[in-house]
Amino acid sequence: MKATFVDNNVSTNAYFSMEGELEGTVKAATFDDLPAKAQEHIKTKYPDYKVGEVVYFIDNNQEDESDIFTIPDSEANYFVSLVKDGKQLVLQVNKDGDTAYYTEKNL
């Protein structure tokens, strides 16, 4: 199940299990929201790609569920869509700005 709301003027989607437990939240983000290290890496390694959608994903599947809005930094990542020549790459970026390949598809 999905709920959509606005949090601090940012569109946010919350995803719930069939039992009603919060699984995670996704917030709209921008390239400028990424850590500087990730921005530089992407600009250097993917100079010919156009930046598409950027989202911030908070994974709420954790052991300590005492406060669902206080998530360890390791459980939150950005996902960045890059497009070039009919191909879309998605990169995962952690709080430290480390960037990893996540997936790709042909458009």
Side-chain angles (χ1 to χ4, degrees):
M1 298 180 288
K2 175 177 129 179
T4 301
F5 56 95
V6 176
D7 180 26
N8 292 327
N9 293 325
V10 177
S11 177
T12 304
N13 293 312
Y15 295 89
F16 297 87
S17 69
M18 295 303 290
E19 293 79 28
E21 294 179 20
L22 181 63
E23 296 288 334
T25 56
V26 177
K27 294 184 177 194
T30 68
F31 187 78
D32 292 337
D33 293 330
L34 300 175
K37 177 181 173 182
Q39 290 182 36
E40 188 59 36
H41 173 80
I42 292 168
K43 287 177 185 175
T44 301
K45 186 163 181 174
Y46 304 96
D48 298 333
Y49 283 77
K50 179 181 176 192
V51 176
E53 184 178 24
V54 179
V55 298
Y56 186 60
F57 174 70
I58 301 170
D59 184 355
N60 289 85
N61 286 323
Q62 58 183 8
E63 294 297 319
D64 179 13
E65 296 180 12
S66 59
D67 182 355
I68 63 172
F69 296 106
T70 303
I71 307 301
D73 289 334
S74 63
E75 302 298 333
N77 293 282
Y78 290 94
F79 289 88
V80 182
S81 169
L82 303 174
V83 179
K84 177 183 172 187
D85 299 333
K87 184 192 319 187
Q88 178 187 44
L89 298 178
V90 177
L91 305 178
Q92 181 176 348
V93 177
N94 69 17
K95 70 170 181 81
D96 296 323
D98 297 325
T99 305
Y101 169 86
Y102 186 72
T103 189
E104 72 179 73
K105 71 176 182 177
N106 291 321
L107 300 175

